[in-house]
């Protein structure tokens, strides 16, 4: 019996719904107050005029949902032991070893790189060392965390002090300042310039996903929500980082382990998201009550449109590819595709029209060796 139990592995989720428990224990009211609705309408962007009929088909990424499910559940099928003297991430943060392959110590990064935005932008090896995870990144010289190393890290004051300094360094790079020890954040003095850069330099969205995950691994789970809330406000309400909208909703929110916190953030997002019918991250329709209103929107975790009749389905299948609405691939996903395939995936941002959306792109990237131990796409 012992051998049988020892070989047991948790079942892998096979759909977005199985990966997403956000609304599974929802006991709060899901309605939007009239005041909130009026305020959201007053802040609507020009996209408000888009109709459901004219909008491209959208759906949530199963690969993103599965990756974040594994993260939130502490990688249930991942087990690997490491001796204490191999704790490379802890030793790096104790300034005992440099990052590889650049040979740079953490103290040099913290003391000399702050404000050097060109270096922070164009160097791609430091981020895996500053923000380690229990999964392999694109710098294969960096070592994955283990549960034992995480415990040791969290009990080492010097390592934690430097980790928070590294977080502050990256926030400054993005135009944000850390306000207190509770993780509250706000715009920095240089926010206008840095937000414009962040809106255009979208490979940083992958870095932010990694930073959020690492915060949770090393004992700073509470720091995630303030940062995610700021990104929602800037991208949805103030339109300062509009290109980040999809990444915040598809990735950043779902790095947060507490479902109630995710629900609060998604309710806030839904009030300000435009076009409203395209919001995919709300509760399933069975939890909304009423059952009607298929025109409100569709998506794997939002309100679903009525199923097409067989005749409509046949006409859609017979339609020419140039007239069919493709699946939107976010900037976050497109950059991931290009990074994984070494730039070999041409036209990744328009995969909706010539492949089975992002899923086909990531399967192609995976065939080129861009997958981790469980077959998932490796993070930056």
């Amino acid at each position: 019996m012992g051998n049988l139990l020892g070989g047991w592995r948790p079942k892998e989720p096979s759909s977005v719904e199985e990966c997403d428990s956000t609304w599974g224990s929802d006991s709060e009211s899901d309605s939007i107050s009239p005041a909130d609705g009026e305020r959201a309408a007053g802040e609507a962007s020009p996209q408000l005029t888009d109709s459901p009929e004219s909008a491209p088909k959208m759906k949530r990424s199963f690969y993103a949902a599965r990756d974040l499910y594994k993260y939130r559940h502490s990688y249930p099928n991942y087990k690997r032991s490491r001796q204490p003297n191999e704790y490379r991430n802890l030793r790096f943060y104790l300034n005992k070893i440099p990052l590889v392959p650049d040979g740079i110590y953490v103290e040099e990064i913290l003391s000399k790189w702050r404000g050097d935005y060109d270096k922070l932008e164009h160097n791609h090896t430091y981020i895996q060392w500053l923000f380690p995870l229990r999964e392999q990144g694109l710098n294969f010289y960096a070592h994955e965390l283990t549960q034992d190393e995480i415990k040791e890290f969290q009990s080492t004051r010097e390592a934690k002090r430097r980790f928070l300094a590294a977080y502050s360094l990256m926030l400054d790079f993005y135009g944000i300042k850390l306000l207190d020890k509770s993780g509250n954040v706000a715009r920095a003095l240089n926010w206008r310039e840095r937000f414009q850069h962040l809106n255009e330099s979208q490979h940083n969205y992958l870095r932010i996903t990694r930073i959020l995950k690492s915060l949770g691994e090393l004992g700073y789970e509470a720091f995630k929500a303030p940062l995610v809330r700021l990104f929602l406000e800037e991208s949805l309400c103030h339109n300062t980082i509009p290109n980040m909208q999809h990444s915040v909703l598809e990735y950043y929110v779902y790095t947060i382990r507490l479902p109630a916190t995710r629900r609060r953030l998604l309710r806030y997002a839904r009030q300000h998201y435009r076009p409203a019918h395209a919001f995919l991250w709300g509760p399933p329709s069975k939890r909304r009550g009423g059952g009607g209103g298929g025109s409100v929107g569709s998506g794997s975790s939002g309100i679903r449109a009525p199923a097409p009749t067989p005749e409509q389905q046949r006409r859609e299948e017979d339609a020419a590819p140039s007239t069919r609405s493709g699946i939107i691939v976010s900037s976050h996903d497109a950059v991931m595709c290009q990074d994984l395939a070494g730039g070999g995936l041409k036209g990744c941002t328009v995969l909706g029209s010539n492949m089975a959306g992002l899923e086909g792109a990531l399967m192609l990237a995976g065939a080129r060796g861009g997958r981790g131990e469980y077959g998932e796409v490796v993070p930056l």
Side-chain angles (χ1 to χ4, degrees), residues 59-72:
K59 72 172 190 175
R60 289 184 56 188
S61 164
F62 169 65
Y63 290 94
R66 184 177 65 172
D67 172 71
L68 294 164
Y69 167 89
K70 291 180 180 179
Y71 165 76
R72 293 193 308 271

Side-chain angles (χ1 to χ4, degrees), residues 165-310:
Y167 180 52
S168 177
L169 171 80
M170 293 306 296
L171 288 180
D172 175 74
F173 175 53
Y174 297 134
I176 302 167
K177 60 181 177 182
L178 184 62
L179 297 177
D180 52 39
K181 295 182 180 180
S182 298
N184 292 308
V185 293
R187 290 175 173 177
L189 292 176
N190 61 346
W191 71 269
R192 197 177 302 274
E193 168 203 346
R194 300 314 304 164
F195 283 7
Q196 180 179 348
H197 174 80
L198 187 56
N199 193 55
E200 298 168 354
S201 180
Q202 295 164 17
H203 78 94
N204 279 292
Y205 302 171
L206 297 168
R207 290 175 167 182
I208 292 169
T209 301
R210 185 180 189 94
I211 290 169
L212 288 165
K213 286 182 174 182
S214 191
L215 284 170
E217 293 286 55
L218 296 177
Y220 296 95
E221 178 72 22
F223 279 47
K224 296 177 185 178
L227 182 61
V228 175
R229 168 61 186 246
L230 182 143
F231 283 140
L232 285 172
E233 184 176 349
E234 296 295 344
S235 62
L236 295 176
C237 301
H238 303 308
N239 205 38
T240 51
I241 322 174
N243 289 334
M244 184 184 277
Q245 288 184 14
H246 189 83
S247 293
V248 181
L249 290 164
E250 190 80 333
Y251 292 85
Y252 304 169
V253 168
Y254 290 94
T255 66
I256 295 172
R257 291 188 168 110
L258 191 63
T261 304
R262 297 200 299 273
R263 290 197 295 269
R264 284 196 296 271
L265 290 168
L266 290 173
R267 287 192 178 97
Y268 173 81
R270 192 172 61 188
Q271 292 175 22
H272 300 284
Y273 190 89
R274 294 296 179 270
H277 66 262
F279 190 79
L280 304 178
W281 301 273
S285 56
K286 64 182 180 180
R287 287 194 170 272
R288 296 215 183 186
S295 63
V296 176
S298 62
S300 55
S301 66
I303 297 179
R304 298 183 181 274
T309 64

Side-chain angles (χ1 to χ4, degrees), residues 2 28 43 46 78 102 104 186 236 244 262 293 302 331 362:
E28 305 168 44
E43 297 174 352
Y78 180 81
D102 293 349
I104 302 170
L236 295 176
M244 184 184 277
R262 297 200 299 273
S331 302
L362 293 182

Side-chain angles (χ1 to χ4, degrees), residues 85-143:
N85 63 357
E86 293 185 41
Y87 289 171
R88 297 288 184 89
N89 301 290
L90 178 58
R91 292 167 65 202
F92 169 72
Y93 263 105
L94 293 176
N95 212 44
K96 293 182 178 180
I97 61 172
L99 69 82
V100 182
D102 293 349
I104 302 170
Y105 285 83
V106 66
E107 271 300 321
E108 179 179 347
I109 295 174
L110 298 179
S111 62
K112 297 182 179 180
W113 287 30
R114 191 177 187 90
D116 192 342
Y117 299 143
D118 285 340
K119 184 172 290 185
L120 291 169
E121 173 68 21
H122 297 295
N123 186 303
H124 297 286
T125 60
Y126 70 90
I127 197 73
Q128 296 87 359
W129 287 87
L130 286 186
F131 300 98
L133 300 175
R134 279 184 280 174
E135 52 188 280
Q136 180 65 60
L138 293 183
N139 179 354
F140 291 97
Y141 294 103
H143 283 230

Side-chain angles (χ1 to χ4, degrees), residues 4-20:
L4 290 175
L5 292 176
W8 179 83
R9 293 166 66 89
K11 179 181 180 294
E12 293 279 352
S14 58
S15 67
V16 170
E17 290 81 1
E18 290 181 8
C19 294
D20 185 3

